Amino acid sequence: MKLGKLSFDNGFIYAQDETGRTYKQSLLWYPALLSATDEQRQNYTVGFGGFHWRDLDEDISFESFTYEDAVPSTFQEFFLVHKEINVSEFAKRIGLNPTLMRNYINGFKKPSKIREQQIINAIHEIGKEYVSFCMA
């Protein structure tokens, strides 16, 4: 599949194929593009397999626009937005391999519903700890 014309809106990147069908992805997957100016976003080249932003050192494959997870899950979004959270230490806290946790966050692997709920519950527990610490 070859995509062309790109546009950006409300935290998403959109690409159109030759039939006019539009595909989208969350810019949370691409922090450099998320924080880029409109001018930087429009300064890309189209290659054999995707788009490249030389000034931003960012690449997006055509194939990635067809992935089911165009929008991060709740817990993925939390970690993509909160870069200050040490993912390795968080994973250790809940008894999870840090590499596996990073793979879950980046969409390379998909957690079971039970595991995803375990991660979300741990995020809530940390939030409660923060609140109780601030109230003390």
Side-chain angles (χ1 to χ4, degrees), residues 5 29 35 44 46 48 50-53 64 66 77 93 106 135:
K5 187 180 175 198
W29 298 121
S35 61
Y44 65 91
V46 180
F48 179 73
F51 303 98
H52 176 69
W53 288 262
S64 66
T66 64
E77 183 175 344
R93 176 183 173 133
N106 294 317
M135 299 297 218

Side-chain angles (χ1 to χ4, degrees), residues 59-129:
D59 294 286
I60 300 179
S61 69
F62 297 141
E63 179 189 11
S64 66
F65 280 91
T66 64
Y67 295 165
E68 290 180 21
D69 58 352
V71 178
S73 68
T74 302
F75 87 85
Q76 287 173 315
E77 183 175 344
F78 177 82
F79 286 102
L80 291 169
V81 169
H82 293 282
K83 300 285 188 188
E84 71 276 9
I85 302 291
N86 183 316
V87 173
S88 292
E89 292 303 317
F90 178 88
K92 289 176 191 174
R93 176 183 173 133
I94 64 172
L96 195 59
N97 177 292
T99 300
L100 181 58
M101 182 67 187
R102 281 188 210 88
N103 284 332
Y104 287 159
I105 292 167
N106 294 317
F108 302 134
K109 294 198 177 235
K110 195 166 189 89
S112 67
K113 289 293 180 190
I114 293 170
R115 178 67 57 129
E116 185 173 351
Q117 193 57 56
Q118 176 191 15
I119 294 167
I120 292 169
N121 290 345
I123 293 169
H124 290 172
E125 286 302 314
I126 290 173
K128 289 176 188 174
E129 289 176 25

